[in-house]
Each structure stands twice: as C-alpha cells, then as structure tokens.
Amino acid sequence: MFQKEQDVFNILFEAVSEGVIVVNNSQNVVATNISVEKMFGYGNKELIGLHINELIPKEYHAKHSGYFKGFVKQNVSRKMGLGRDLYGLRKDNTVFPLEIGLNPFEFQEKKYVMALVIDISARKRHEQQILELNTQLEEKVLKRTKELSQAVNKLQILNTELEAENIKRIEAEKNTKIALQKEIELNELKTKFLSLVSHEFKTPLSGILTSTMLLGKYKLTEQQENREKHLKTITDRVHYLNNILNDFLSIDKLETGKIKYNFSDFKLSKVLNEVVYSCNLLLKQGQKIKYPDNIDDMSLYQDEKIVELALSNLVHNAIKYSPEDTEIEIDVRQNYDKTTFDIKDKGIGIPKKDQKNIFNRYFRAENALLTQGTGIGLNIVKTHLENLGGNIKFVSEENKGTTFTITIPNKPL
C-alpha cells in the first residue's frame, strides 16, 4: 500500500513544472521531482538522503535550523522567507535566488514538509533591468537639464526624448507589476493544488486500506453482505483514483498535442441517454434530471466520446453541487451550423470573485473546497471544445444556481 501511495505522489510531483522537495523531521530529503533535480544540478534521485543544508548557502545554515523547527511546530502552510531574500546552492556551488511555498503533513505518524521551489533568477534580472533603466533615465535627466541651460533652442527636442524615455519606463514598470501579480497568483494556486490533491488521494487510499483490513475479519458465509460492502468501497475508491489519473494523462496529451480526435456520425439522443443513465446512479435523494425527448432527428459529425465527456462532466458537477430535491435541466438546440447544450442547476453557484478563474487548471471556487474534486475537469472540457472549434461559457449566482452553455460545430471546421 505504501508503494502505491509513493507511485501516486511520484506522478503528481512530475506533473508540476516547479521543483518539489519533501523532507522528514530530521531535515533529510525523502522525495523530489525532476524539476528540482535540474534546478539544483543533481542527477536522478541524487538528492535523496541529503540534508537540506546541502541546498542552502553556508551563511544561512545556522538560522535555517531554527526557522525549520519553528515552522514544523506551527504546522501551517505558508510561504517561506516573507520579507527577505532566499537563495539556493547548486551542486556546482553557484548560488541563485528562489521562492519556497511550504506545506506540512503527516504520513504513517511521521511529520514531513513538502516545499514548492521556484527559481526566480529571471525575475530578479528583470527587476535589475528596471533599476538600471531608472538610473540611466535619472542620469539622462541631469544631462539634459544641463544642456537645456546651455541651449534653450533644443528644449523641444529634449523634452520629446525625455517623454519617450519616461513612457518606456512606465510601460516597463507596468508590465513588471502585471507579471509579478500573475506569478504570485499562480504560485498560490499551485501550493493550494498540492495540498488539495494530497487530500484527494489520501482519503480514498485510507478507505481502501481500512476496507482491506476489515475484509479479513469476515470469513463466515453469513458475513457475505459485509464482504460485498467493503469490496464495493474498494472498487469505488479505485475507480475514483483512476479517473483522477486519467485526467492527469489527458492534460499531458493536450499539452503535448498527442490527442487524436475520432470523428463519426452519431445521434444526439444516444449520447444524451448514456450520459443521463450514468449520472442517474449519482443522484442525491429527490434529485431529478430533466432532458428533451424530441431530439431523435438531431445528429453530429464529431468526436462522440468528447461530446459525452463534456456533457458528463457538467451534469456530474450539477448533481454534486446541488442539494437534494432539486432538478438538473438539460436543453439542446441545433441549427444548420452548430449545436448548443444548456445544463442548468439550482445549486450553490459560483462566487463572483471566483468566476474569472473557474476554467483555470486546479482552481476550485471558495464555496466548493469541502466537496471532493481536483479542479481539472472544466479545464479539460474547455480545451477539448476549443480544439474542436466550440466553446463553453456560464452564468451563475451564488446560492441560486449555474447554467453552463457549450456550443460545438455540427462537423469539424
């Protein structure tokens, strides 16, 4: 069981573009990904077993030990080094600036710290360029001022030059601020994602382990019902984990362009019936799915599996985020060029401040954090639809419900 968890976390680590390091309570490295090995100049698994001080310049060793103990004691996820610059030490003894997000966790009654490491050398160079540009501009201002006192007739030309220089500086500062803000938001999102996915995997794995242990206690014939109950728990948990891993594989294929779409003619009624049938098994008490029954004449020449995937994802979300005794409504419209699907629910809705990020990978709205999920599905659906010439949009109001609308061409563009 430990090996399975290790394999799962290895897959997760390698799916993250930034460096990931896990250290134990003795500050020894117990897990890494390829990104952090390349960042620090080490070979495959060469970091395993090293003390974390091997990756820190010597002048910071004494203080770092105290920081680490204090962080483990607090046991709260946060960024490291707030208000001060942090540096890493590569294998070739070169020093580089970095940022670190820290996440404490326990596994098998042992404490660990997972760090998300980002090399910010490029950003520091950019900031230095801005400082140099400001210095150069100030020097030019002084020079031009002196020249103005000597040659008034050149005032207009010099003013024009200064204005151009100032515009460049302002634009550079503006671009830097925008880039820094995006980087901050992305880093916070990825730190949040690592904590979220750790929970999403550990919970079903714990259920599988518990059911496996209990199965051994039910050996009598009359205990078959108990055995079947735990076997179903194991099957459901494995199926859930398999779906998450399939989502990660889909992301990799989409990013590397390895997706090949299979186009064919199919009836919309066939796909919709399959979606509703599978989703009916997930309905809560009193929930119902309302869908049109007059679409037998509608058909598409598209990738049938992708259309089914998109509809299943949206209907599944509508069920998951809606309370009992509510209705999920599916509407279908088709003209000569395109087909449109509306999936409407009366669920918790999406907070207005979160709506701009709802299609971002790994993002989950604030009011959905306690519900199982990884924040990958909508991103995958959006990417597939756009690849096929379609699109997805939504309208939502918190505590009143959400309507997702997907539009797809009747045949490939």
Side-chain angles (χ1 to χ4, degrees):
M1 183 58 62
F2 174 78
Q3 184 61 43
K4 289 184 178 179
E5 289 198 350
Q6 188 66 35
D7 291 341
V8 169
F9 282 107
N10 285 340
I11 292 174
L12 289 175
F13 289 172
E14 300 308 337
V16 180
S17 60
E18 281 69 26
V20 177
I21 300 178
V22 178
V23 299
N24 58 22
N25 206 32
S26 300
Q27 302 185 51
N28 292 323
V29 178
V30 298
T32 63
N33 69 350
I34 293 175
S35 296
V36 84
E37 291 169 351
K38 291 181 178 179
M39 188 183 303
F40 284 89
Y42 286 83
N44 184 30
K45 304 304 179 185
E46 195 176 353
L47 285 170
I48 302 302
L50 292 183
H51 194 276
I52 195 65
N53 278 350
E54 294 291 326
L55 306 179
I56 302 172
K58 289 184 179 180
E59 59 266 30
Y60 300 109
H61 286 185
K63 291 184 178 180
H64 179 266
S65 179
Y67 292 149
F68 182 90
K69 292 178 181 178
F71 171 75
V72 172
K73 185 176 181 181
Q74 291 179 0
N75 196 34
V76 177
S77 298
R78 65 172 174 83
K79 282 189 177 180
M80 181 180 178
L82 290 175
R84 62 181 184 275
D85 292 333
L86 300 179
Y87 297 91
L89 181 67
R90 296 191 178 94
K91 186 177 180 180
D92 62 3
N93 287 323
T94 58
V95 177
F96 66 99
L98 51 77
E99 281 187 353
I100 303 179
L102 301 176
N103 288 276
F105 68 96
E106 291 188 8
F107 180 69
Q108 295 186 344
E109 299 183 354
K110 293 182 180 180
K111 292 185 177 181
Y112 298 88
V113 176
M114 177 170 58
L116 179 67
V117 185
I118 302 170
D119 185 344
I120 59 171
S121 299
R123 188 209 301 173
K124 289 294 185 181
R125 287 195 298 271
H126 198 177
E127 292 174 348
Q128 184 61 34
Q129 290 173 357
I130 295 300
L131 291 175
E132 292 174 356
L133 182 60
N134 285 336
T135 301
Q136 292 171 9
L137 182 58
E138 290 173 0
E139 292 173 354
K140 288 183 179 181
V141 170
L142 292 175
K143 181 180 178 181
R144 297 296 190 270
T145 302
K146 184 177 180 180
E147 291 175 351
L148 283 171
S149 66
Q150 298 173 348
V152 178
N153 60 329
K154 296 181 179 180
L155 180 60
Q156 185 62 44
I157 297 175
L158 293 175
N159 282 341
T160 302
E161 291 179 355
L162 285 172
E163 184 177 355
E165 294 278 359
N166 196 44
I167 290 174
K168 289 181 181 179
R169 181 180 64 84
I170 293 173
E171 186 66 24
E173 290 180 345
K174 178 181 177 182
N175 291 337
T176 299
K177 289 180 180 179
I178 293 174
L180 289 176
Q181 183 59 37
K182 287 183 178 179
E183 186 174 341
I184 290 170
E185 292 177 356
L186 181 60
N187 290 341
E188 291 176 349
L189 184 59
K190 288 183 176 179
T191 300
K192 181 180 178 182
F193 161 74
L194 285 175
S195 299
L196 174 67
V197 173
S198 296
H199 176 268
E200 289 299 319
F201 273 88
K202 287 171 67 176
T203 299
L205 286 172
S206 297
I208 292 173
L209 179 60
T210 301
S211 293
T212 303
M213 294 172 61
L214 291 175
L215 273 176
K217 297 182 179 181
Y218 299 120
K219 300 179 179 180
L220 302 179
T221 302
E222 57 268 24
Q223 294 177 319
Q224 179 62 26
E225 182 177 346
N226 289 329
R227 286 196 291 272
E228 291 179 354
K229 174 184 176 183
H230 289 294
L231 285 172
K232 184 178 185 304
T233 297
I234 294 172
T235 301
D236 290 345
R237 298 291 195 278
V238 171
H239 181 68
Y240 175 73
L241 290 173
N242 185 62
N243 286 341
I244 293 179
L245 292 177
N246 283 338
D247 283 345
F248 277 107
L249 291 175
S250 295
I251 289 173
D252 179 65
K253 290 180 180 179
L254 286 168
E255 286 187 339
T256 57
K258 295 179 180 179
I259 289 288
K260 292 184 178 180
Y261 295 105
N262 299 312
F263 300 106
S264 62
D265 283 307
F266 59 90
K267 293 286 187 180
L268 286 184
S269 57
K270 174 178 177 292
V271 172
L272 196 57
N273 286 335
E274 291 176 354
V275 169
V276 172
Y277 176 79
S278 62
C279 288
N280 274 335
L281 303 176
L282 307 173
L283 291 175
K284 301 174 186 175
Q285 181 69 35
Q287 283 186 333
K288 294 180 180 179
I289 300 177
K290 179 182 178 182
Y291 62 102
D293 56 6
N294 59 343
I295 60 172
D296 291 337
D297 294 332
M298 295 185 185
S299 62
L300 283 176
Y301 182 74
Q302 274 289 358
D303 189 313
E304 181 177 349
K305 291 300 180 183
I306 298 302
V307 175
E308 183 178 343
L309 179 148
L311 291 174
S312 295
N313 182 279
L314 295 177
V315 177
H316 188 184
N317 282 350
I319 295 171
K320 183 163 58 173
Y321 298 118
S322 296
E324 297 178 353
D325 300 312
T326 55
E327 184 176 81
I328 291 89
E329 184 177 352
I330 304 173
D331 182 53
V332 183
R333 304 183 301 280
Q334 187 176 66
N335 59 23
Y336 181 78
D337 297 317
K338 62 187 179 181
T339 301
T340 301
F341 302 87
D342 291 325
I343 295 86
K344 181 178 182 180
D345 66 55
K346 298 177 181 177
I348 62 176
I350 304 168
K352 195 167 187 63
K353 66 177 182 178
D354 291 335
Q355 292 185 10
K356 65 178 180 179
N357 295 315
I358 203 65
F359 292 114
N360 290 347
R361 190 179 304 167
Y362 311 132
F363 180 82
R364 305 196 70 211
E366 188 177 76
N367 60 347
L369 294 179
L370 298 180
T371 306
Q372 206 170 45
T374 59
I376 299 175
L378 284 177
N379 178 268
I380 292 175
V381 168
K382 183 175 184 292
T383 304
H384 277 308
L385 289 173
E386 290 177 349
N387 287 348
L388 296 174
N391 63 72
I392 180 171
K393 57 185 179 180
F394 70 93
V395 291
S396 183
E397 187 173 350
E398 194 170 4
N399 298 320
K400 290 189 177 181
T402 303
T403 299
F404 276 93
T405 300
I406 61 177
T407 302
I408 189 168
N410 294 337
K411 58 182 179 180
L413 299 178

